[in-house]
Amino acid sequence: MMRLHKVYHRLSLLPFSPNPSLLLLTPPLCLRCLRRRTVKFTNISSMATSRFRNIVPLSAMLAEDGGDGGSNGSVSPSTATSTSINYDDESTLEAQYRIPPPEIKDIVDAPPVPALSFSPHRDKILFLKRRALPPLAELARPEEKLAGIRIDGNCNTRSRMSFYTGIGIHQLLPDGTLGPEKEVHGFPEGAKINFVTWSPDGRHLSFSIRMNGEDNDSSKLRLWIADVDTGKARPLFQSNVYLNAVFDNFVWINNSELLVCTIPLSRGAPPKKPLVPCGPKIQSNEEKNIIQVRTFQDLLKDEYDEDLFDYYATSQLVLASLDGQMKDIGQPAVYTSMDPSPDQKYIMISSIHRPYSFVVPCGRFPKKVELWSADGKFVRELCDLPLAEDIPIAFNSVRKGMRSINWRADKPSTLYWVETQDGGDAKVEVSPRDIVYTQLAEPLEGEQPVVLHKLDLRYGGISWCDDSLALVYESWYKTRRIKTWVISPGSEDVSPRILFDRSSEDVYSDPGSPMLRRTQAGTYVIAKVKKESNEGSYILLNGNGATPEGNIPFLDLFDINTGNKERIWESDKEKYYESVVALMSDQEEGDLLLDKLKILTSKESKTENTQYYIVHWPDKKAVQITNFPHPYPQLASLQKEMIRYQRKDGVHLTATLYLPPGYDPSKDGPLPCLVWSYPGEFKSKDAAGQVRGSPNEFAGIGATSVLLWLARRFAILSGPTIPIIGEGDEEANDRYVEQLVASAEAAVEEVIRRGVAHPRKIAVGGHSYGAFMTANLLAHAPHLFCCGIARSGAYNRTLTPFGFQNEERTLWEATNIYVEMSPFMSANKIKKPILLIHGEEDNNPGTLTMQTDRFFNALKGHGALCRLVILPFESHGYAARESIMHVLWETDRWLHKYCVSNISDVGADDDTVKENVSKGITDSESKVVAASGGGGSEASGDLDNEQFHPTPRSSLW
């Protein structure tokens, strides 16, 4: 694993409102660091706060993120109307790309704002310019699907990478304002920029450049260096040395040297696939090993694929200095990470090697971790892990042997790692389950690793401070338990003690995360704060502040010894949503003084997009440093409300209700409504009913966001909680359909009760597991919705037999559950219109494109009103402008024809429909009830049983 401070600069923050900015906090202030540096006392698998859930690698930032932006449309909010399009014209059914109405198109097409990146010394900010949505031609570039990854052979990097178009440098002035922009210059016009990185001293930038060229060489990545003072950029290598960015690409070793993964100069043409194979494809399990794996995609298929993977993934490491000197170090290999020690004396090098596998991706291939000196000399081997095909599918199962190998952030060159004691199998009961070890990079002869800490749950990370303080995290998914330990790494006589022991689902009890500060070595450690020079030290806990009224982020001064805490900052509660992003006053070593504290915060409201501020102590004066324009002024006055309601079994639910600008239910009457959600699993009803999010957060509208239909005068019920609860020994999915329908009924009843949704014009939709939800609701709760929209879903769980989502049981262990949950098995019940959309190149485990193909055929085989749209070259999320515009057009057409214009059962009384919804009675049931004089009939009872307990099918697709 790479050291945290080394990879921070490769990460960017897509704020909750994706349009205002992408905030990239580089080595000192980067967002991967925020995930580890403000480590959550919650489930380690979701340590990032909800506000930072959209963290993505810069190197792999998809263009669809770049398309999130504002609108320069001229439609006034007060005069906004829905454009009329003739969707009844048969020509609209022709297979060609379409454009949605202008009120949607204008929002999606608006130019995106730049990403931001702070320098190591917090005195400069980069504005990284981005483009709008990419053309489909870019996604159509040839790519190799190998070992679970996709490679652009021409660029020799991961395929489908987005890029920056320019870099602007701003000085952060003492008063908190920004100086004039200095444009980085010297690279060719039309250059595509990736992997923007600060040098440790902040004097230089490194980044890759590639061009749109017909020949292979011009499209390959070259490493460039820019002088921050002048903005002048130049290529680091004068010869034709190209980056290999399939895995790691380059890293600063010190202020003047970089270690670079390059394409070996001796590499020839790629291997050619033999026209006639030398033999059949054979896989064998004659040893009777138990190997259960999820539905991974893009795996190696044969020996040719193995050779092709080696060809593209093999790198030659080159040590390069800013003066142009370079030397090869080590032999060519498939290097996956390069991690310098804090004192810059060693480099931890990870690589993978044969034998490869045809059933698991490259992350499970044999892995070797070695220590080299900074000049490239071999020091010692840390481990050589075998192929890991046999990791159990149970959650919290891990690889055998050394894992999570890292440098201690508070030491010059000390390693630490963890080793499982249960063979990696979470079902094995053993104590301890994990042991954390530590050791010097070059231990004395015969010196053994030191046991740092023993854990009974699964190891989840360490936040280092010094020899007197470190925080160790462990968690267990099955029980949702998470524990935080306080240890003294330098004092064997001080016993570890539990600081927090809580449920990761209980967001109300989340105490916050320790804020980290940058050291002179460029690492990050827990920040210690003093009130006055003669007082003890404290740490800072940065939390979401979840409450029944919504999140109210806070910053607490916390005494690690006594547990006493003092709230020194809190978000505005009435109008704004504010949060702490990072420390800005950690340039000097030692404890921070409270009266000189400086933090970076974000601030937004329902109608005001996110801006960034620097807050100074002791007066806590906030100075605004950004002034991004509103991304979609035509929706600036949209209405947003966080609503609460109750499921019939007593579970409290929440949702965010959005209404169009200027809408008044008393005057305008009920609207067509679109419900968009994604189910979640919980172990307790209390946790499921807790409020998450804030009513004051800005409404971020992405390129495929459901909120776009506010511009079409829809009411939007966004993210209504659909908790699937399994308390005690019960598994959540044991009553999936029953709880799904009950949650949907409660949501629909609430919007009807409020008078904002027309009872017969409520549509439902979702993406991925939300699409699975949508299909199930149309099958088992047809009385609730007039139509559905399902994007990139999986509908037949028997095609994912070794688990899916949060289901650990296999198909053979829970056959009825797999069958009953699969809307494919209930295709004969779906009578409401359903629009199915899927990317043709979906590589998400479980959601193969075949899932939607077969589901459509099953629907069509039963005469269902359905439509299938397969998007060429698109993956699980959609990226190209043509694809996104067409998805929006298809969605708008479907909503217009089957929601806005819905005239089904026109003779029925809407009050009857409302009553049936509140009782959970379907349209067909209401007809039976009416025919029998309102009494409970055998027919209606059968329908009710069928609704909640689908009969298992004996034959599987």
Side-chain angles (χ1 to χ4, degrees):
M1 179 180 289
M2 291 185 284
R3 191 171 86 249
L4 291 178
H5 73 269
K6 190 269 280 192
V7 295
Y8 295 161
H9 60 270
R10 302 170 196 270
L11 300 165
S12 66
L13 166 66
L14 305 183
F16 182 79
S17 48
N19 302 287
S21 74
L22 285 173
L23 180 64
L24 166 64
L25 298 174
T26 58
L29 288 184
C30 44
L31 265 290
R32 178 114 167 226
C33 126
L34 284 181
R35 294 187 65 171
R36 296 291 292 271
R37 149 177 164 188
T38 54
V39 180
K40 293 295 297 171
F41 295 120
T42 124
N43 194 326
I44 301 301
S45 65
S46 58
M47 287 165 59
T49 65
S50 63
R51 175 161 183 77
F52 303 134
R53 61 182 173 271
N54 292 324
I55 299 173
V56 297
L58 274 181
S59 56
M61 189 174 63
L62 293 177
E64 66 206 65
D65 297 326
D68 293 345
S71 172
N72 292 333
S74 58
V75 182
S76 168
S78 61
T79 60
T81 57
S82 295
T83 302
S84 177
I85 295 180
N86 182 13
Y87 285 124
D88 294 324
D89 185 349
E90 290 189 4
S91 66
T92 62
L93 300 180
E94 297 175 1
Q96 57 182 289
Y97 287 104
R98 302 285 181 170
I99 300 294
E103 53 263 48
I104 291 178
K105 171 185 171 295
D106 289 346
I107 295 175
V108 177
D109 262 346
V113 297
L116 302 183
S117 170
F118 285 78
S119 68
H121 299 300
R122 317 293 196 270
D123 59 343
K124 296 179 179 66
I125 305 177
L126 299 183
F127 277 53
L128 303 172
K129 316 297 175 61
R130 304 183 296 137
R131 61 167 184 181
L133 299 175
L136 186 62
E138 291 197 9
L139 270 65
R141 290 170 58 96
E143 63 181 359
E144 304 292 345
K145 303 172 182 177
L146 302 167
I149 61 176
R150 295 182 174 182
I151 300 171
D152 185 325
N154 287 335
C155 299
N156 218 106
T157 185
R158 299 293 178 95
S159 60
R160 303 166 184 256
M161 277 203 320
S162 188
F163 56 87
Y164 297 113
T165 57
I167 304 173
I169 305 173
H170 291 266
Q171 186 77 28
L172 186 59
L173 302 177
D175 63 357
T177 60
L178 296 183
E181 182 171 278
K182 182 191 307 172
E183 191 76 21
V184 175
H185 58 280
F187 48 78
E189 185 177 354
K192 299 179 178 180
I193 304 169
N194 288 100
F195 311 118
V196 181
T197 311
W198 292 90
S199 63
D201 60 6
R203 296 178 57 191
H204 294 90
L205 298 174
S206 56
F207 50 90
S208 69
I209 290 286
R210 57 192 163 105
M211 303 297 298
N212 271 332
E214 297 298 328
D215 61 292
N216 286 344
D217 285 348
S218 63
S219 60
K220 287 185 170 57
L221 279 67
R222 299 190 66 182
L223 183 56
W224 282 63
I225 300 293
D227 185 287
V228 172
D229 289 336
T230 65
K232 175 66 176 176
R234 59 180 176 83
L236 180 60
F237 303 120
Q238 298 305 316
S239 57
N240 290 328
V241 177
Y242 301 107
L243 288 180
N244 186 335
V246 170
F247 290 106
D248 211 349
N249 40 71
F250 59 85
V251 61
W252 287 90
I253 300 296
N254 51 51
N255 291 329
S256 60
E257 289 183 306
L258 299 96
L259 185 59
V260 187
C261 284
T262 69
I263 297 173
L265 294 176
S266 60
R267 190 179 80 173
K272 292 185 177 180
K273 189 180 182 82
L275 294 176
V276 179
C278 60
K281 299 177 181 179
I282 298 174
Q283 297 186 52
S284 175
N285 191 35
E286 296 181 40
E287 299 83 3
K288 298 183 179 181
N289 295 322
I290 297 177
I291 298 176
Q292 300 179 349
V293 295
R294 292 286 179 115
T295 317
F296 298 119
Q297 300 196 48
D298 298 341
L299 300 176
L300 298 177
K301 298 180 291 297
D302 50 32
E303 290 79 4
Y304 168 74
D305 275 359
E306 291 181 310
D307 293 341
L308 201 60
F309 176 74
D310 276 338
Y311 176 83
Y312 287 115
T314 298
S315 297
Q316 173 63 61
L317 297 184
V318 171
L319 190 61
S321 60
L322 294 182
D323 60 10
Q325 297 185 38
M326 54 180 285
K327 71 170 183 177
D328 294 352
I329 61 173
Q331 297 298 313
V334 183
Y335 297 108
T336 56
S337 69
M338 309 169 295
D339 194 2
S341 62
D343 62 4
Q344 304 173 353
K345 292 183 178 180
Y346 303 95
I347 309 170
M348 184 163 54
I349 301 291
S350 300
S351 62
I352 56 178
H353 59 82
R354 297 192 183 216
Y356 296 150
S357 171
F358 297 154
V359 297
V360 293
C362 58
R364 297 192 182 184
F365 288 178
K367 176 183 179 181
K368 182 182 293 185
V369 183
E370 298 175 334
L371 280 189
W372 296 3
S373 64
D375 58 0
K377 295 177 182 178
F378 176 81
V379 175
R380 68 180 176 118
E381 180 182 289
L382 296 178
C383 65
D384 191 353
L385 304 177
L387 179 65
E389 288 184 334
D390 59 347
I391 299 176
I393 60 174
F395 290 110
N396 290 122
S397 294
V398 295
R399 191 172 194 159
K400 301 172 186 176
M402 296 174 67
R403 70 181 197 276
S404 301
I405 309 173
N406 282 290
W407 297 105
R408 272 187 63 167
D410 61 329
K411 292 292 183 180
S413 52
T414 298
L415 294 161
Y416 71 98
W417 66 92
V418 63
E419 294 185 28
T420 179
Q421 307 300 300
D422 57 12
D425 189 349
K427 292 184 178 180
V428 174
E429 295 295 334
V430 64
S431 178
R433 188 173 293 276
D434 274 338
I435 298 179
V436 183
Y437 296 92
T438 183
Q439 190 177 46
L440 294 174
E442 289 193 79
L444 298 175
E445 185 175 353
E447 186 177 7
Q448 296 301 309
V450 175
V451 174
L452 181 69
H453 193 53
K454 296 180 179 181
L455 302 166
D456 285 336
L457 307 182
R458 189 62 79 201
Y459 168 81
I462 299 180
S463 293
W464 297 96
C465 183
D466 51 33
D467 276 338
S468 68
L469 174 63
L471 300 181
V472 183
Y473 310 99
E474 62 175 334
S475 67
W476 198 246
Y477 177 77
K478 196 79 172 179
T479 60
R480 307 302 197 272
R481 190 179 184 187
I482 183 165
K483 296 164 69 175
T484 303
W485 291 85
V486 177
I487 64 171
S488 297
S491 303
E492 295 183 5
D493 57 338
V494 178
S495 300
R497 61 184 176 88
I498 294 177
L499 183 64
F500 302 115
D501 187 352
R502 49 182 292 272
S503 168
S504 61
E505 290 184 340
D506 182 10
V507 294
Y508 292 168
S509 70
D510 186 351
S513 310
M515 297 203 72
L516 306 189
R517 54 160 300 155
R518 185 177 187 267
T519 68
Q520 293 296 317
T523 61
Y524 286 84
V525 298
I526 297 174
K528 283 188 174 180
V529 178
K530 286 186 176 182
K531 285 186 177 180
E532 296 178 3
S533 57
N534 60 346
E535 288 193 11
S537 60
Y538 302 78
I539 68 172
L540 295 169
L541 293 182
N542 178 19
N544 282 336
T547 74
E549 289 70 45
N551 289 356
I552 305 172
F554 63 83
L555 189 64
D556 279 351
L557 201 62
F558 183 77
D559 189 320
I560 201 74
N561 296 314
T562 66
N564 295 330
K565 57 185 177 181
E566 174 188 348
R567 188 139 301 177
I568 61 173
W569 179 92
E570 188 174 66
S571 171
D572 176 84
K573 303 176 184 179
E574 302 303 321
K575 179 180 179 181
Y576 291 100
Y577 178 83
E578 302 169 284
S579 63
V580 176
V581 179
L583 280 174
M584 297 289 285
S585 54
D586 57 354
Q587 290 84 2
E588 298 179 1
E589 291 292 322
D591 293 355
L592 306 178
L593 296 178
L594 180 59
D595 60 2
K596 294 185 178 180
L597 190 65
K598 186 165 60 173
I599 60 174
L600 178 69
T601 66
S602 65
K603 183 177 181 180
E604 62 197 78
S605 72
K606 297 177 183 179
T607 57
E608 299 174 44
N609 51 306
T610 306
Q611 306 294 347
Y612 294 94
Y613 294 75
I614 293 180
V615 179
H616 301 257
W617 264 254
D619 57 2
K620 302 180 186 179
K621 178 183 178 181
V623 179
Q624 185 172 342
I625 62 171
T626 61
N627 188 25
F628 299 115
H630 196 290
Y632 19 89
Q634 60 271 64
L635 293 178
S637 57
L638 62 81
Q639 302 173 55
K640 175 186 176 183
E641 180 183 359
M642 184 175 287
I643 63 174
R644 301 194 68 182
Y645 49 98
Q646 192 168 311
R647 204 164 73 178
K648 61 184 179 182
D649 60 358
V651 176
H652 292 281
L653 306 175
T654 61
T656 305
L657 177 63
Y658 293 91
L659 298 171
Y663 169 72
D664 184 343
S666 63
K667 297 179 181 178
D668 303 328
L671 296 171
C673 178
L674 178 53
V675 178
W676 199 269
S677 192
Y678 192 99
E681 292 81 5
F682 293 87
K683 288 301 294 180
S684 75
K685 292 182 178 180
D686 289 341
Q690 291 184 351
V691 176
R692 292 162 174 82
S694 167
N696 294 328
E697 287 180 284
F698 182 70
I701 303 180
T704 57
S705 171
V706 65
L707 300 186
L708 289 165
W709 274 270
L710 289 169
R712 297 285 281 166
R713 308 297 291 173
F714 267 73
I716 306 296
L717 192 67
S718 178
T721 48
I722 310 285
I724 310 299
I725 304 166
E727 293 188 307
D729 294 332
E730 183 186 41
E731 296 292 338
N733 288 335
D734 291 349
R735 295 188 300 116
Y736 172 84
V737 172
E738 176 187 342
Q739 296 190 67
L740 178 73
V741 172
S743 298
E745 284 177 338
V748 168
E749 182 178 354
E750 180 65 16
V751 291
I752 293 176
R753 184 190 69 79
R754 289 171 171 262
V756 298
H758 192 291
R760 298 192 180 279
K761 298 182 179 182
I762 302 176
V764 63
H767 184 94
S768 195
Y769 205 52
F772 176 76
M773 169 205 75
T774 298
N776 265 311
L777 286 173
L778 293 187
H780 303 296
H783 59 295
L784 297 178
F785 304 104
C786 60
C787 65
I789 300 158
R791 300 176 184 169
S792 299
Y795 308 100
N796 184 351
R797 298 278 50 136
T798 70
L799 297 178
T800 55
F802 290 107
F804 58 90
Q805 202 68 7
N806 290 318
E807 178 58 65
E808 295 182 298
R809 296 168 294 185
T810 70
L811 169 64
W812 300 272
E813 294 170 326
T815 305
N816 288 343
I817 300 299
Y818 274 66
V819 172
E820 291 173 6
M821 286 183 67
S822 297
F824 178 87
M825 303 301 176
S826 301
N828 60 315
K829 299 180 184 178
I830 296 180
K831 307 301 180 183
K832 295 296 178 71
I834 182 169
L835 172 64
L836 302 172
I837 302 175
H838 214 119
E840 193 170 28
E841 304 294 334
D842 193 333
N843 64 342
N844 184 56
T847 55
L848 296 82
T849 308
M850 174 182 65
Q851 287 268 8
T852 295
D853 281 330
R854 292 187 175 183
F855 187 44
F856 175 74
N857 288 332
L859 292 168
K860 190 168 61 170
H862 289 89
L865 198 168
C866 53
R867 181 174 171 89
L868 171 64
V869 179
I870 300 295
L871 303 171
F873 304 112
E874 293 290 352
S875 185
H876 193 59
Y878 318 137
R881 183 181 185 275
E882 293 92 331
S883 303
I884 287 175
M885 291 297 180
H886 190 80
V887 166
L888 300 176
W889 180 87
E890 290 280 1
T891 304
D892 193 69
R893 173 186 177 272
W894 206 253
L895 292 173
H896 176 79
K897 287 179 68 69
Y898 303 112
C899 182
V900 175
S901 303
N902 180 38
I903 55 173
S904 61
D905 299 319
V906 292
D909 186 346
D910 280 345
D911 289 335
T912 303
V913 176
K914 295 177 185 178
E915 181 179 357
N916 289 343
V917 168
S918 67
K919 293 180 179 180
I921 302 175
T922 67
D923 285 344
S924 56
E925 287 179 293
S926 69
K927 295 174 184 176
V928 173
V929 172
S932 62
S937 69
E938 182 179 355
S940 65
D942 289 341
L943 284 171
D944 187 59
N945 289 333
E946 186 72 0
Q947 173 184 337
F948 292 113
H949 305 286
T951 303
R953 306 305 197 264
S954 58
S955 60
L956 305 182
W957 184 270

